[in-house]
Amino acid sequence: MDIKDSFNNINNSKVSLHLPKHKTPTQLTSKLGKYTIIGRAEELQKIDTLLKESNSSLLINGIGGIGKSTIASYYLHSQKENLDYYGFFEGLESFTSELREPLALKQERENDAFLEALSKLRNLKGNKLLVFDDIKEIEENKDKIEKILALKDSGYKILLTSRMKINEIKTYVLSVLTLDDAKKLFLKYYQTDDIDRVEKIIKYLDYHALFIELLSKVIDNEGYSLEEIIGKFERGELSKIEFINEEDGDETSFNKNLKELFEIQKKSLNEEYIVFLKQLSVLPSIDIEFSLLADIFWKEKLKGKLNFLVNKGWLSGDGKSYKLHQIIKEFLLYNHPPIVEDIEIVIKYFVNKIENDYTIEESLKRYDDLLYLESFASIPTLHNNKGVEYLIHSAGHLNYLVGNYKKAQKFHKLSFEISKEILDEDDIHFAIRLNGQAKMLEHDGKYHEALEIYLKSLKIREKYFFIYPEKVAIEYNNIGRMYKKIGNYDESYIYLNISLNMRKEIFGEKNEYTARAYNVLGQFLLDLTFPTLNYQIISFKIIT
């Protein structure tokens, strides 16, 4: 039998020779992201609804580490039982490499393999979901993104996450965790009954999912107390905290994690925007109305610049207000600390706003600015500036006026330490800083020490009597009060009388400040069971 006959016999037999047909697996990728999540029930429901309403494609948008990847991958896991095909891609880069084996791609060149993968995906039937996590370089990948999104015409649901906005795709902006979810996440890794301190920590972290998880693990593994961590926050030392990485066992730090989140993202910004972010980083991490930002920054096309940073994932904002998240602020302050020249425009704005507030009433009107004044205290690179020192002192003064004595003490102490380095000891402003120290000693009941400092302040103030007479009168009053508290009534009466006479000379009889001086002296005499009716009546008549 020759070869031809053998071939015919095989052909005529019921046996057929062919390669087995390739079967595409249901799970198209090797990884599927996280399959557990804390909370986020409302957000998951919203994502499901939007994905169904938005022609089968949706972008989850938000800053780095906020939980976009977790919620997107968990959503995929929650839908697996209802899907015929699904896949989770870490960025666009892994698209062809992940699909090469399950789709049996033949093309070697990257672009050819990409087109082949799309073609084979279009031929798959049934319910299908693809998740693309943390998409970067939107403009550079615009063509790829458009081709992937076109798969929705072949029955695919496509869920994407990115820190940046993508035009012409429905967007869901993922917010931070709720307080309850943030506490649950923290307590999952660190068990404690000290909920007040837990809440203080997660509030400082601005309910940021990644850093809540990371910090709670570090506290548990490294043996920090919650109070130690809060102290590090107050000193601006979050970035410096070092710990052992659970995965590779190497020493690492919070700053390394911050740089991994944002350093690559920063490369897309030019120097103008980096300086602008530095300026924003000295403001508190809160929603700030555009009108206030417009007052501070005299920038051309300011709203356009702010919205550009929103689109690039640096800010959150809706056109009416904008916010730099605390975690991004930490990254900027530690890795790109502002210098005075960078932020002079911000310093001048707040100094000009408060420098002419001479009375308690005028100062209290600035209470809404307190967070802004306090924010400068956490930036050591700026402390050698007189304007910044003045803002820190003002934060102490305002906290004192509203009864926040612990915070007042903190800011007065910092202000005084800075003033010793940058102010002349005969400067009227140094006398005012001494006054702040004395107030805190007085509040703590240390009257002898407070008196000593009030006397030092008065000695300086008297040199400026003809420029600031009211500041001299105030200190005579303070010294009179201290002498009374330590039981030296003769000296107390002398100083209170001098204060009263000064105020009559400065303000006249028909003035509330003069009335207050009458009242203080009247109260002094009343306490000593001296006749006081005339002083009290004079004070009452002036006030009314």
Side-chain angles (χ1 to χ4, degrees), residues 368-413:
D368 289 344
D369 294 319
L370 184 53
L371 282 177
Y372 296 90
L373 306 181
E374 291 178 350
S375 67
F376 288 94
S378 61
I379 312 172
T381 55
L382 305 176
H383 286 177
N384 63 347
N385 176 264
K386 287 185 178 180
V388 171
E389 185 277 327
Y390 173 64
L391 297 177
I392 296 171
H393 163 77
S394 299
H397 178 59
L398 254 179
N399 272 298
Y400 178 82
L401 292 180
V402 298
N404 295 332
Y405 298 116
K406 186 175 181 181
K407 292 180 76 175
Q409 194 164 45
K410 168 188 168 184
F411 292 117
H412 273 312
K413 181 180 179 182

Side-chain angles (χ1 to χ4, degrees), residues 52-75:
K52 290 171 181 174
E53 291 176 351
S54 58
N55 200 17
S56 299
S57 63
L58 180 69
L59 169 69
I60 302 176
N61 176 245
I63 68 168
I66 205 169
K68 301 182 300 297
S69 301
T70 299
I71 201 167
S73 55
Y74 184 80
Y75 178 77

